[in-house]
Amino acid sequence: MAIIEIKDLSYTYPGEQEPILKHLTASFPAKEWTTIIGRNGSGKSTLARLIDGLLPIGHGQIMVAGTPVDGEHVDLVHQKIGFVFQNPENQFVGTTVEDDVAFGLENHRVPRDEMRYRIQQALNDVSMAEYAQTEPAMLSGGQKQRVAIAGILCLRPEILIFDEATSMLDPQARQNILGLLRKLKIEKGFTIIAISHDPVEAAAGDNVAILNQGQLVAFDRKEQILANTDLLQKYGLAVPFTEKLKQQLRGQGMQVPKEYMTEEQMVKWLSQQ
Amino acid sequence: MVEPAIEIQQLSYTYSPGTAFAAQALTNVNLTIQRGKVTAVVGHTGSGKSTLMQLIDGLLKPTSGSITVQETKVTPDSAKKDFAALRQHVGFVFQFPESQLFADSVLEDVMFGPLNQGQSEENARRSATDALDRLHFPVELRDHSPFELSGGQMRRVAIAGVLAMKPAILILDEPTAGLDPSGRLELMNLIQKLNQEGTTIILITHQMEQVARYADVVVALQHGQLVFDGQPRSLFSNQQLVEQIGLAEPNTVAFANQLDQAGIPLQQTPLTVQELANEIIEARQKGTFNNE
Amino acid sequence: MNNKVIFGLYVPTNSFIHRLDPRMKFIACFWYVILVFFANNVWTNIWLGLILLLLIHLSRVSLKMYWSGIRPLMWVIIITALVQLFFSTGGHVYWQWHFLSLTSSGIIQSIYLVLRFAYIITISTILTVTTPTLQLADAVESLMKPLKYLRVPVNQIAMMLSIALRFIPTIMGEVTTIMNAQRARGMDFSTGNLYQRTRKLVPVMIPLFVSSFKRAEELAVAMESRGYNPNGERTKYRLLIWRRADSWSIVALVLVTVVLIALKLL
């Protein structure tokens, strides 16, 4: 079942000639993790912002969990979608961690007594409870992103959108956040839409969509897309590590299976050769 | 023969010494950076990497110890002009360097450094054009405002701005952060080319794949102390040390370790996918597979 | 970690004064400043000085901190006092040269002036060392509430204030980074005359503006995505609690004022 339906969506930034999105039609399945990949400037972030009603729709239609995204319903859409942005610094509104988490709750007029409980719970979910009183200047990028996630978790959204949310983090912090997302998806049944360049991040999800010059050029299970190195290279995207290795082994005359394999699966397969 | 580009002796640095906020950032670092090589500097956030680089570029004054670059030696007692002299030899490309662009046109921005060095207008223009050429920056964009460019192009203008000062040593702090995979590859190839043309490169990075692939030497810092100085292969073959410093393994090394645990030991630690594939084929021919 | 900027002068000693409601402290500080202008004789000045010493003692913050509050303004105080000293007339004339004169009333006036400066700076310092900036902002917001009836957008002003506080350390860190980056490009900020030095700020200010605008835009979008509506009602997480000690402090303030008026009429 699709939770987000996009029909014939086009968008041109004010003052630009060329549209950034061109007649895009897509639907995103509920309770699944879909990664949108594409080169810089392919329109990924624009698409994510349009879905959350953060830009006015130029042409076409978007439905989020049965609600049309338009000026009239934008508040409802913001409630259904939690959005985490790329730069950890520029989405930290509060003067301390708990104030930042409270920000969304205050906007949605949640009573104060309930706020305390929800903040505590959200900070526990992202393992940041001990930093409740800390100021943002004392936190690392990864910790700030955790706080950003807590800030949207406490609003109880159905859909989480991550717009290159791990791209400014170091590799360990990135792995940490991806692990947290996997846990949240399983425990709370979120629909996740992640925008990324990173094949490791794409491999963490269920589906992969490729965006190129404002158009959707592929949308499939990750196993199909990540194993299709020709497709990835054609659109200037990174090839997953296991596929690179398979390519090399094939070049040396070894018979390797065509299907996508995770590192673990590949080790297992090699040990059975 | 190892020719030193930078000699660092007994170097220590303390932030805000003598106050309640005093913090020891570097302790007793001894290090030689070799001329003409690519040296990767790795370590956790807060390990002292940035402090060390700022000291090498003469932006900070050592608390104790010395730094020697060619004929210039700086110590805690050195005069301001010695630190400026250090900066003549060392170019420092900061993280997200595009955020320091300010001039009306690309060319003017790149000329800023050479003009500060005291070059004539004409020479500065020549240095700037030369630097932009070396980074393959399109000629038709050079009169444009730097703020009209794409992220990857701005990054190259910023690097050219440092390169135009003709430093013998170039420090790059996470030069590929925020670029897409093809942009990253393109930039790393350009950096490799600069190195082949004779520039000593110091690369600060969290990407261990970059260390494995591009570095001749890797230097690791932890809590302000030097904990490793040697070849990438010897660092990454020491799994315990890598873990202790808190580094990620390059994916080829991580994969080799998984193979090892599954009963397929490889001859040497692979640094590239090609090496990994060769090792696997070799192990297979030797019959280490299926050794039941 | 070198970009941590310590903002404000807050010294967390958790004294009696620290625990008072920031609104009360704000009002009291303001009221004290008014009283300072009413003090015009020896006794009233001694009385206000004693109150100040008591507050300093209660705050459990070292005198050094208070001195560091006055020191940067030392020159302003001295010059103003000198002007007062040599340009006032009245009382016994000790010395005269053209329009400059040293008179008994000039001496007394300039002593009062120095005291006024010192009192006002110190009472403000007591407020800032005992109250975190965030609480100060909350106090200002709360005290501005009546202005809503005059159609002043109090909520928006409060949000602006709180975001400004939040981003000051970020922007200070950014200034350091940009200056370092330009120094690495051969810029020398410490030489040249005033005009040259001002011109040298261009390569710092332009990148700073560019990035601040970008930040502001990203922040605005992030706030919108979390449901912020500048005209909408919001609930509040942070509460200010008025305790009995605050009411007693107001009573004490009234007493201080009564004594002052009595001393003035003496």
Side-chain angles (χ1 to χ4, degrees):
Chain A
M1 206 199 80
I3 190 162
I4 299 171
E5 300 258 22
I6 300 168
K7 279 200 193 99
D8 197 27
L9 180 70
S10 297
Y11 186 81
T12 309
Y13 277 103
E16 298 279 320
Q17 305 281 316
E18 187 71 6
I20 180 106
L21 292 175
K22 299 165 196 157
H23 305 288
L24 189 134
T25 298
S27 61
F28 292 86
K31 300 192 190 292
E32 291 190 14
W33 177 338
T34 305
T35 312
I36 304 176
I37 57 178
R39 298 194 62 161
N40 281 350
S42 59
K44 296 170 300 197
S45 290
T46 311
L47 176 61
R49 287 176 187 212
L50 283 164
I51 293 173
D52 196 16
L54 296 171
L55 290 170
I57 291 178
H59 176 268
Q61 196 194 11
I62 303 175
M63 297 283 282
V64 171
T67 308
V69 180
D70 53 28
E72 201 181 320
H73 298 92
V74 74
D75 285 342
L76 196 56
V77 172
H78 290 332
Q79 275 186 32
K80 289 177 191 280
I81 298 179
F83 204 119
V84 181
F85 296 83
Q86 180 179 22
N87 192 328
E89 193 69 30
N90 296 352
Q91 55 187 311
F92 204 112
V93 187
T95 332
T96 66
V97 166
E98 58 175 356
D99 281 308
D100 188 63
V101 179
F103 176 73
L105 296 169
E106 293 176 328
N107 294 336
H108 289 101
R109 293 180 288 280
V110 174
R112 186 169 184 277
D113 294 335
E114 198 184 328
M115 263 193 229
R116 296 180 75 90
Y117 167 74
R118 285 215 213 172
I119 292 170
Q120 191 62 42
Q121 197 188 31
L123 286 177
N124 280 334
D125 283 339
V126 300
S127 318
M128 285 293 289
E130 58 185 304
Y131 294 94
Q133 314 282 338
T134 309
E135 289 166 30
M138 305 292 161
L139 300 177
S140 71
Q143 289 174 321
K144 281 183 200 142
Q145 289 304 62
R146 282 175 180 273
V147 175
I149 295 171
I152 60 171
L153 285 184
C154 66
L155 300 173
R156 317 243 162 101
E158 290 171 53
I159 302 161
L160 306 182
I161 299 183
F162 291 84
D163 185 1
E164 300 194 41
T166 64
S167 70
M168 289 175 81
L169 308 182
D170 63 50
Q172 280 108 325
R174 176 176 308 160
Q175 281 306 328
N176 261 325
I177 296 279
L178 289 178
L180 173 65
L181 290 194
R182 218 169 287 140
K183 188 189 98 176
L184 290 172
K185 192 201 146 205
I186 295 165
E187 286 176 4
K188 317 218 169 193
F190 288 119
T191 303
I192 294 180
I193 295 179
I195 285 165
S196 177
H197 299 302
D198 187 358
V200 177
E201 203 165 320
D206 305 305
N207 313 304
V208 175
I210 300 180
L211 215 57
N212 189 54
Q213 297 186 344
Q215 288 177 314
L216 191 70
V217 290
F219 193 132
D220 211 329
R221 305 298 293 174
K222 70 159 183 237
E223 292 81 2
Q224 300 300 318
I225 299 221
L226 293 178
N228 193 341
T229 47
D230 292 342
L231 181 77
L232 292 171
Q233 276 163 346
K234 182 176 166 193
Y235 295 114
L237 301 166
V239 174
F241 169 71
T242 46
E243 289 304 316
K244 281 190 210 157
L245 181 57
K246 270 160 69 179
Q247 247 177 350
Q248 288 284 343
L249 289 173
R250 217 178 273 136
Q252 306 233 20
M254 195 169 164
Q255 291 283 333
V256 285
K258 268 190 87 75
E259 313 75 77
Y260 173 74
M261 289 192 278
T262 63
E263 288 187 28
E264 259 169 49
Q265 287 165 335
M266 185 130 183
V267 168
K268 199 169 164 215
W269 175 78
L270 278 169
S271 67
Q272 284 161 356
Q273 287 304 296
Chain B
M1 247 295 281
V2 176
E3 242 191 297
I6 305 174
E7 285 267 21
I8 294 168
Q9 279 165 339
Q10 308 279 331
L11 184 67
S12 297
Y13 189 79
T14 310
Y15 281 101
S16 341
T19 72
F21 309 113
Q24 177 102 8
L26 280 182
T27 316
N28 217 352
V29 172
N30 289 294
L31 176 66
T32 302
I33 304 276
Q34 298 167 34
R35 180 167 300 169
K37 297 274 166 83
V38 176
T39 302
V41 180
V42 299
H44 249 222
T45 314
S47 61
K49 287 176 299 186
S50 309
T51 309
L52 179 61
M53 294 306 121
Q54 291 186 37
L55 283 160
I56 291 176
D57 197 27
L59 295 171
L60 295 174
K61 205 177 216 176
T63 306
S64 65
S66 71
I67 302 164
T68 313
V69 180
Q70 295 184 10
E71 72 285 359
T72 310
K73 180 174 185 173
V74 298
T75 62
D77 309 317
S78 293
K80 232 179 72 181
K81 68 172 186 358
D82 294 321
F83 290 96
L86 211 56
R87 258 170 259 154
Q88 295 281 343
H89 303 301
V90 185
F92 193 162
V93 179
F94 279 64
Q95 201 171 357
F96 299 109
E98 56 276 19
S99 65
Q100 81 206 20
L101 300 178
F102 70 95
D104 294 334
S105 76
V106 168
L107 193 66
E108 276 176 60
D109 207 293
V110 179
M111 283 166 67
F112 177 66
L115 287 175
N116 282 333
Q117 282 179 320
Q119 292 188 24
S120 69
E121 185 89 13
E122 196 184 326
N123 283 341
R125 190 175 301 273
R126 202 172 304 135
S127 305
T129 309
D130 190 44
L132 288 164
D133 286 343
R134 287 175 78 187
L135 292 173
H136 300 178
F137 189 85
V139 178
E140 64 275 15
L141 290 177
R142 293 180 189 180
D143 309 326
H144 283 234
S145 158
F147 300 108
E148 290 170 6
L149 306 175
S150 74
Q153 288 168 332
M154 283 171 88
R155 179 78 47 99
R156 265 191 279 167
V157 173
I159 297 174
V162 174
L163 208 56
M165 298 166 74
K166 304 202 170 81
I169 301 154
L170 187 63
I171 304 173
L172 297 133
D173 188 354
E174 295 281 355
T176 62
L179 300 181
D180 63 17
S182 47
R184 269 184 215 178
L185 189 66
E186 218 174 311
L187 187 56
M188 285 314 294
N189 287 340
L190 285 171
I191 292 169
Q192 207 170 24
K193 202 189 84 184
L194 294 178
N195 178 243
Q196 283 154 5
E197 291 165 0
T199 310
T200 303
I201 303 278
I202 302 177
L203 178 70
I204 306 176
T205 184
H206 284 296
Q207 307 287 326
M208 294 305 134
E209 287 75 25
Q210 279 181 358
V211 177
R213 172 132 179 233
Y214 297 102
D216 302 306
V217 180
V218 56
V219 167
L221 288 168
Q222 189 180 23
H223 309 310
Q225 288 178 312
L226 191 71
V227 285
F228 183 86
D229 174 11
Q231 290 187 340
R233 203 184 303 279
S234 64
L235 172 65
F236 294 126
S237 54
N238 189 343
Q239 210 181 342
Q240 208 186 340
L241 181 67
V242 170
E243 201 173 307
Q244 184 212 315
I245 306 172
L247 301 173
E249 287 168 327
N251 42 27
T252 51
V253 178
F255 194 83
N257 288 335
Q258 284 184 51
L259 279 176
D260 189 57
Q261 279 178 357
I264 310 169
L266 301 182
Q267 284 292 315
Q268 66 165 355
T269 308
L271 295 185
T272 61
V273 179
Q274 197 176 358
E275 279 182 18
L276 175 62
N278 290 342
E279 290 285 329
I280 291 172
I281 301 277
E282 213 171 291
R284 198 166 167 235
Q285 281 160 355
K286 277 202 191 138
T288 6
F289 281 53
N290 272 339
N291 47 355
E292 62 264 50
Chain C
M1 292 289 122
N2 50 336
N3 281 340
K4 267 181 212 165
V5 181
I6 311 296
F7 178 66
L9 292 160
Y10 181 65
V11 183
T13 55
N14 196 25
S15 73
F16 167 73
I17 299 185
H18 283 71
R19 291 190 296 267
L20 290 172
D21 189 299
R23 286 169 295 185
M24 202 290 296
K25 285 190 264 186
F26 204 88
I27 294 170
C29 177
F30 189 70
W31 188 244
Y32 184 94
V33 171
I34 292 174
L35 292 186
V36 167
F37 285 98
F38 277 100
N40 61 350
N41 62 28
V42 182
W43 293 110
T44 43
N45 272 301
I46 289 177
W47 172 238
L48 286 181
L50 285 174
I51 299 297
L52 212 53
L53 283 174
L54 177 71
L55 291 175
I56 288 174
H57 176 72
L58 285 175
S59 74
R60 295 201 288 179
V61 174
S62 75
L63 275 170
K64 239 201 219 158
M65 280 304 294
Y66 292 105
W67 174 238
S68 71
I70 296 182
R71 206 175 41 195
L73 296 168
M74 211 55 200
W75 281 109
V76 180
I77 300 175
I78 289 173
I79 290 168
T80 329
L82 286 178
V83 170
Q84 181 83 348
L85 192 60
F86 289 110
F87 286 88
S88 26
T89 50
H92 184 79
V93 179
Y94 297 109
W95 174 82
Q96 187 148 27
W97 181 75
H98 293 288
F99 50 86
L100 295 180
S101 63
L102 191 61
T103 65
S104 60
S105 93
I107 291 172
I108 293 170
Q109 288 306 322
S110 57
I111 289 173
Y112 288 165
L113 191 82
V114 170
L115 282 177
R116 257 177 213 174
F117 267 114
Y119 287 177
I120 292 173
I121 295 166
T122 308
I123 193 76
S124 320
T125 313
I126 292 177
L127 180 68
T128 50
V129 294
T130 62
T131 321
T133 1
L134 189 59
Q135 280 195 23
L136 274 180
D138 285 342
V140 172
E141 181 188 359
S142 174
L143 293 171
M144 280 198 318
K145 259 184 206 155
L147 294 178
K148 265 187 201 168
Y149 299 105
L150 299 172
R151 306 239 173 147
V152 176
V154 173
N155 292 341
Q156 279 106 310
I157 293 174
M159 181 55 75
M160 273 164 51
L161 195 66
S162 130
I163 285 175
L165 284 179
R166 149 73 187 90
F167 278 95
I168 283 171
T170 307
I171 288 173
M172 304 250 281
E174 188 147 12
V175 171
T176 315
T177 310
I178 296 174
M179 282 181 79
N180 268 338
Q182 305 300 29
R183 280 169 70 204
R185 290 214 276 166
M187 190 72 171
D188 182 359
F189 289 101
S190 59
T191 57
N193 59 35
L194 191 65
Y195 172 70
Q196 286 165 328
R197 285 196 193 200
T198 317
R199 271 197 51 171
K200 281 178 180 173
L201 288 178
V202 171
V204 178
M205 293 318 281
I206 291 181
L208 190 67
F209 275 124
V210 170
S211 84
S212 300
F213 277 118
K214 193 165 164 253
R215 244 181 235 296
E217 201 190 322
E218 287 184 25
L219 182 71
V221 174
M223 286 170 70
E224 193 190 335
S225 80
R226 288 164 74 182
Y228 179 67
N229 173 2
N231 302 313
E233 271 304 311
R234 306 176 73 229
T235 47
K236 216 159 157 28
Y237 176 62
R238 211 167 259 289
L239 272 191
L240 296 176
I241 303 161
W242 190 273
R243 294 196 179 80
R244 188 171 292 171
D246 298 303
S247 304
W248 282 117
S249 302
I250 293 283
V251 173
L253 199 61
V254 172
L255 285 176
V256 168
T257 311
V258 170
V259 172
L260 185 96
I261 293 170
L263 289 172
K264 197 174 147 74
L265 296 177
L266 231 60

